[in-house]
mmCIF file of all heavy atoms in Angstrom:
data_model
loop_
_atom_site.group_PDB
_atom_site.id
_atom_site.type_symbol
_atom_site.label_atom_id
_atom_site.label_comp_id
_atom_site.label_asym_id
_atom_site.label_seq_id
_atom_site.Cartn_x
_atom_site.Cartn_y
_atom_site.Cartn_z
ATOM 1 N N SER A 177 11.555 22.377 -8.107
ATOM 2 C CA SER A 177 10.535 23.409 -8.565
ATOM 3 C C SER A 177 10.354 23.415 -10.098
ATOM 4 O O SER A 177 9.195 23.653 -10.629
ATOM 5 C CB SER A 177 10.831 24.752 -8.054
ATOM 6 O OG SER A 177 12.140 25.133 -8.508
ATOM 7 N N GLU A 178 11.534 23.216 -10.894
ATOM 8 C CA GLU A 178 11.361 23.273 -12.270
ATOM 9 C C GLU A 178 10.508 22.209 -12.901
ATOM 10 O O GLU A 178 9.667 22.471 -13.708
ATOM 11 C CB GLU A 178 12.805 23.233 -12.914
ATOM 12 C CG GLU A 178 13.668 24.439 -12.638
ATOM 13 C CD GLU A 178 14.392 24.341 -11.318
ATOM 14 O OE1 GLU A 178 14.247 23.318 -10.618
ATOM 15 O OE2 GLU A 178 15.049 25.305 -11.005
ATOM 16 N N ILE A 179 10.723 21.034 -12.465
ATOM 17 C CA ILE A 179 9.859 19.878 -13.056
ATOM 18 C C ILE A 179 8.490 20.007 -12.566
ATOM 19 O O ILE A 179 7.574 19.703 -13.264
ATOM 20 C CB ILE A 179 10.515 18.521 -12.753
ATOM 21 C CG1 ILE A 179 10.043 17.448 -13.686
ATOM 22 C CG2 ILE A 179 10.311 18.060 -11.290
ATOM 23 C CD1 ILE A 179 10.658 17.564 -15.156
ATOM 24 N N ALA A 180 8.322 20.413 -11.302
ATOM 25 C CA ALA A 180 6.925 20.575 -10.727
ATOM 26 C C ALA A 180 6.177 21.667 -11.465
ATOM 27 O O ALA A 180 4.971 21.528 -11.831
ATOM 28 C CB ALA A 180 6.950 20.912 -9.257
ATOM 29 N N ASN A 181 6.903 22.767 -11.775
ATOM 30 C CA ASN A 181 6.260 23.860 -12.471
ATOM 31 C C ASN A 181 5.941 23.430 -13.934
ATOM 32 O O ASN A 181 4.909 23.902 -14.553
ATOM 33 C CB ASN A 181 7.144 25.114 -12.545
ATOM 34 C CG ASN A 181 7.249 25.768 -11.200
ATOM 35 O OD1 ASN A 181 6.399 25.613 -10.396
ATOM 36 N ND2 ASN A 181 8.351 26.527 -10.964
ATOM 37 N N TYR A 182 6.753 22.667 -14.524
ATOM 38 C CA TYR A 182 6.471 22.158 -15.942
ATOM 39 C C TYR A 182 5.167 21.383 -15.961
ATOM 40 O O TYR A 182 4.286 21.704 -16.742
ATOM 41 C CB TYR A 182 7.669 21.243 -16.420
ATOM 42 C CG TYR A 182 7.269 20.481 -17.603
ATOM 43 C CD1 TYR A 182 7.519 21.009 -18.913
ATOM 44 C CD2 TYR A 182 6.678 19.220 -17.554
ATOM 45 C CE1 TYR A 182 7.149 20.296 -20.076
ATOM 46 C CE2 TYR A 182 6.381 18.473 -18.758
ATOM 47 C CZ TYR A 182 6.607 19.095 -19.920
ATOM 48 O OH TYR A 182 6.201 18.394 -21.058
ATOM 49 N N TYR A 183 5.012 20.445 -15.025
ATOM 50 C CA TYR A 183 3.808 19.609 -14.974
ATOM 51 C C TYR A 183 2.581 20.376 -14.566
ATOM 52 O O TYR A 183 1.411 20.162 -15.001
ATOM 53 C CB TYR A 183 4.012 18.391 -14.115
ATOM 54 C CG TYR A 183 4.825 17.298 -14.800
ATOM 55 C CD1 TYR A 183 6.045 16.856 -14.329
ATOM 56 C CD2 TYR A 183 4.383 16.735 -16.079
ATOM 57 C CE1 TYR A 183 6.824 16.009 -14.961
ATOM 58 C CE2 TYR A 183 5.182 15.792 -16.704
ATOM 59 C CZ TYR A 183 6.468 15.407 -16.166
ATOM 60 O OH TYR A 183 7.151 14.491 -16.748
ATOM 61 N N TRP A 184 2.770 21.412 -13.685
ATOM 62 C CA TRP A 184 1.632 22.225 -13.242
ATOM 63 C C TRP A 184 1.177 23.058 -14.406
ATOM 64 O O TRP A 184 -0.037 23.186 -14.739
ATOM 65 C CB TRP A 184 2.017 23.096 -12.121
ATOM 66 C CG TRP A 184 0.923 24.019 -11.622
ATOM 67 C CD1 TRP A 184 0.741 25.331 -11.927
ATOM 68 C CD2 TRP A 184 -0.192 23.590 -10.718
ATOM 69 N NE1 TRP A 184 -0.397 25.757 -11.271
ATOM 70 C CE2 TRP A 184 -0.967 24.750 -10.611
ATOM 71 C CE3 TRP A 184 -0.475 22.434 -10.057
ATOM 72 C CZ2 TRP A 184 -2.080 24.792 -9.780
ATOM 73 C CZ3 TRP A 184 -1.602 22.425 -9.249
ATOM 74 C CH2 TRP A 184 -2.409 23.634 -9.105
ATOM 75 N N SER A 185 2.119 23.621 -15.211
ATOM 76 C CA SER A 185 1.781 24.411 -16.367
ATOM 77 C C SER A 185 1.137 23.548 -17.450
ATOM 78 O O SER A 185 0.198 23.954 -18.120
ATOM 79 C CB SER A 185 3.012 25.035 -16.984
ATOM 80 O OG SER A 185 3.581 26.012 -16.092
ATOM 81 N N LEU A 186 1.571 22.285 -17.584
ATOM 82 C CA LEU A 186 1.001 21.347 -18.529
ATOM 83 C C LEU A 186 -0.542 21.106 -18.084
ATOM 84 O O LEU A 186 -1.456 21.134 -18.970
ATOM 85 C CB LEU A 186 1.743 20.020 -18.606
ATOM 86 C CG LEU A 186 1.048 18.866 -19.309
ATOM 87 C CD1 LEU A 186 0.969 19.220 -20.783
ATOM 88 C CD2 LEU A 186 1.813 17.553 -19.080
ATOM 89 N N LEU A 187 -0.750 20.909 -16.841
ATOM 90 C CA LEU A 187 -2.137 20.695 -16.376
ATOM 91 C C LEU A 187 -3.013 21.906 -16.640
ATOM 92 O O LEU A 187 -4.092 21.756 -17.141
ATOM 93 C CB LEU A 187 -2.026 20.358 -14.837
ATOM 94 C CG LEU A 187 -3.307 19.989 -14.164
ATOM 95 C CD1 LEU A 187 -4.027 18.822 -14.772
ATOM 96 C CD2 LEU A 187 -3.152 19.814 -12.663
ATOM 97 N N GLN A 188 -2.453 23.074 -16.382
ATOM 98 C CA GLN A 188 -3.299 24.303 -16.722
ATOM 99 C C GLN A 188 -3.530 24.469 -18.228
ATOM 100 O O GLN A 188 -4.575 25.002 -18.609
ATOM 101 C CB GLN A 188 -2.595 25.523 -16.106
ATOM 102 C CG GLN A 188 -2.210 25.463 -14.657
ATOM 103 C CD GLN A 188 -3.329 24.900 -13.726
ATOM 104 O OE1 GLN A 188 -4.444 25.426 -13.769
ATOM 105 N NE2 GLN A 188 -3.086 23.863 -12.977
ATOM 106 N N THR A 189 -2.573 24.007 -18.978
ATOM 107 C CA THR A 189 -2.754 24.099 -20.497
ATOM 108 C C THR A 189 -3.830 23.181 -20.956
ATOM 109 O O THR A 189 -4.679 23.572 -21.747
ATOM 110 C CB THR A 189 -1.371 23.902 -21.162
ATOM 111 O OG1 THR A 189 -0.420 24.780 -20.780
ATOM 112 C CG2 THR A 189 -1.494 24.043 -22.671
ATOM 113 N N ILE A 190 -3.750 21.929 -20.569
ATOM 114 C CA ILE A 190 -4.700 20.973 -20.953
ATOM 115 C C ILE A 190 -6.087 21.311 -20.421
ATOM 116 O O ILE A 190 -7.192 21.098 -21.055
ATOM 117 C CB ILE A 190 -4.321 19.601 -20.430
ATOM 118 C CG1 ILE A 190 -2.967 19.107 -21.054
ATOM 119 C CG2 ILE A 190 -5.410 18.474 -20.663
ATOM 120 C CD1 ILE A 190 -3.005 18.967 -22.556
ATOM 121 N N ASP A 191 -6.150 22.015 -19.313
ATOM 122 C CA ASP A 191 -7.411 22.409 -18.692
ATOM 123 C C ASP A 191 -8.153 23.338 -19.586
ATOM 124 O O ASP A 191 -9.388 23.410 -19.669
ATOM 125 C CB ASP A 191 -7.117 23.091 -17.365
ATOM 126 C CG ASP A 191 -8.367 23.731 -16.740
ATOM 127 O OD1 ASP A 191 -9.356 22.966 -16.494
ATOM 128 O OD2 ASP A 191 -8.405 25.006 -16.531
ATOM 129 N N GLN A 192 -7.381 24.169 -20.391
ATOM 130 C CA GLN A 192 -8.017 25.206 -21.227
ATOM 131 C C GLN A 192 -8.812 24.596 -22.378
ATOM 132 O O GLN A 192 -9.604 25.250 -23.042
ATOM 133 C CB GLN A 192 -6.999 26.166 -21.776
ATOM 134 C CG GLN A 192 -6.324 27.027 -20.740
ATOM 135 C CD GLN A 192 -5.397 28.047 -21.251
ATOM 136 O OE1 GLN A 192 -5.759 28.854 -21.997
ATOM 137 N NE2 GLN A 192 -4.074 27.862 -21.028
ATOM 138 N N ILE A 193 -8.462 23.249 -22.698
ATOM 139 C CA ILE A 193 -9.284 22.631 -23.839
ATOM 140 C C ILE A 193 -10.181 21.556 -23.230
ATOM 141 O O ILE A 193 -10.496 20.572 -23.969
ATOM 142 C CB ILE A 193 -8.262 22.091 -24.890
ATOM 143 C CG1 ILE A 193 -7.267 21.128 -24.249
ATOM 144 C CG2 ILE A 193 -7.666 23.191 -25.690
ATOM 145 C CD1 ILE A 193 -6.408 20.374 -25.302
ATOM 146 N N SER A 194 -10.392 21.538 -21.924
ATOM 147 C CA SER A 194 -11.143 20.520 -21.226
ATOM 148 C C SER A 194 -12.424 21.087 -20.771
ATOM 149 O O SER A 194 -12.604 22.335 -20.582
ATOM 150 C CB SER A 194 -10.425 19.848 -20.101
ATOM 151 O OG SER A 194 -9.140 19.343 -20.494
ATOM 152 N N TYR A 195 -13.344 20.239 -20.386
ATOM 153 C CA TYR A 195 -14.649 20.709 -19.816
ATOM 154 C C TYR A 195 -14.473 20.713 -18.326
ATOM 155 O O TYR A 195 -13.936 19.915 -17.694
ATOM 156 C CB TYR A 195 -15.762 19.643 -20.167
ATOM 157 C CG TYR A 195 -16.139 19.703 -21.696
ATOM 158 C CD1 TYR A 195 -15.490 18.932 -22.579
ATOM 159 C CD2 TYR A 195 -17.131 20.667 -22.115
ATOM 160 C CE1 TYR A 195 -15.786 18.979 -23.993
ATOM 161 C CE2 TYR A 195 -17.470 20.608 -23.510
ATOM 162 C CZ TYR A 195 -16.775 19.828 -24.373
ATOM 163 O OH TYR A 195 -17.130 19.844 -25.779
ATOM 164 N N THR A 196 -15.067 21.799 -17.771
ATOM 165 C CA THR A 196 -15.073 22.000 -16.356
ATOM 166 C C THR A 196 -16.328 21.617 -15.640
ATOM 167 O O THR A 196 -17.349 22.045 -16.066
ATOM 168 C CB THR A 196 -14.766 23.403 -15.963
ATOM 169 O OG1 THR A 196 -13.500 23.803 -16.607
ATOM 170 C CG2 THR A 196 -14.600 23.666 -14.459
ATOM 171 N N LEU A 197 -16.374 20.730 -14.720
ATOM 172 C CA LEU A 197 -17.523 20.255 -13.935
ATOM 173 C C LEU A 197 -18.029 21.468 -13.105
ATOM 174 O O LEU A 197 -17.262 22.053 -12.308
ATOM 175 C CB LEU A 197 -17.258 19.107 -13.189
ATOM 176 C CG LEU A 197 -18.435 18.501 -12.359
ATOM 177 C CD1 LEU A 197 -19.507 18.130 -13.345
ATOM 178 C CD2 LEU A 197 -18.022 17.345 -11.537
ATOM 179 N N GLU A 198 -19.298 21.841 -13.211
ATOM 180 C CA GLU A 198 -19.888 22.933 -12.533
ATOM 181 C C GLU A 198 -20.539 22.383 -11.203
ATOM 182 O O GLU A 198 -21.011 21.210 -11.148
ATOM 183 C CB GLU A 198 -20.993 23.580 -13.246
ATOM 184 C CG GLU A 198 -20.474 24.294 -14.483
ATOM 185 C CD GLU A 198 -19.922 25.741 -14.234
ATOM 186 O OE1 GLU A 198 -20.639 26.603 -14.196
ATOM 187 O OE2 GLU A 198 -18.689 25.720 -13.931
ATOM 188 N N PRO A 199 -20.539 23.185 -10.110
ATOM 189 C CA PRO A 199 -21.185 22.723 -8.907
ATOM 190 C C PRO A 199 -22.736 22.653 -9.162
ATOM 191 O O PRO A 199 -23.186 23.466 -9.921
ATOM 192 C CB PRO A 199 -20.822 23.824 -7.917
ATOM 193 C CG PRO A 199 -20.495 24.998 -8.677
ATOM 194 C CD PRO A 199 -19.854 24.484 -9.986
#
Side-chain angles (χ1 to χ4, degrees):
S177 60
E178 290 84 4
I179 201 72
N181 289 338
Y182 168 87
Y183 284 117
W184 181 263
S185 296
L186 172 64
L187 183 60
Q188 306 314 308
T189 301
I190 298 299
D191 174 62
Q192 294 185 65
I193 54 170
S194 300
Y195 292 89
T196 303
L197 182 60
E198 294 281 271

